[in-house]
Amino acid sequence: MHPHLHTKDNRGCEDVMRALDECHSEGFIHKLFGNCNKFKTEVNKCLRAERLERTARNREEAKKKREKTLAIWKEIDDNS
């Protein structure tokens, strides 16, 4: 399973998701015989790359916020 496809966080995967949507629109039998599997695999790879990039960015932002908070607390401790 994958998350909702067409969100602001997945803009880099639009082409791959469009190809998967087009494949799915060809009908149930087409999907049943695995003709869309390669597109689904590509979507999964793309979404994973997007998620890893997003988590790395979030981790860096959290690290900066934590350093700022520690600096503020150190200043408070030094002045008390």
Side-chain angles (χ1 to χ4, degrees):
M1 292 298 295
H2 49 71
H4 295 290
L5 295 180
H6 301 285
T7 64
K8 65 178 178 58
D9 295 330
N10 302 326
R11 296 289 182 220
C13 301
E14 284 291 325
D15 294 335
V16 181
M17 290 186 289
R18 192 172 298 112
L20 179 63
D21 287 341
E22 288 173 8
C23 185
H24 283 176
S25 69
E26 291 185 24
F28 174 73
I29 299 297
H30 190 73
K31 291 189 294 185
L32 181 67
F33 288 112
N35 294 329
C36 298
N37 288 351
K38 65 180 179 180
F39 298 115
K40 180 162 175 33
T41 301
E42 291 300 316
V43 167
N44 288 342
K45 286 180 184 178
C46 185
L47 291 175
R48 176 176 165 70
E50 292 278 324
R51 181 180 50 83
L52 292 176
E53 180 182 317
R54 190 172 56 252
T55 56
R57 188 173 56 246
N58 289 343
R59 189 177 305 112
E60 286 302 315
E61 290 174 10
K63 189 176 180 181
K64 289 177 187 176
K65 285 182 182 179
R66 178 71 177 157
E67 289 172 357
K68 183 179 175 183
T69 302
L70 290 175
I72 291 171
W73 279 108
K74 184 177 183 322
E75 182 182 331
I76 290 171
D77 287 342
D78 289 346
N79 293 334
S80 3

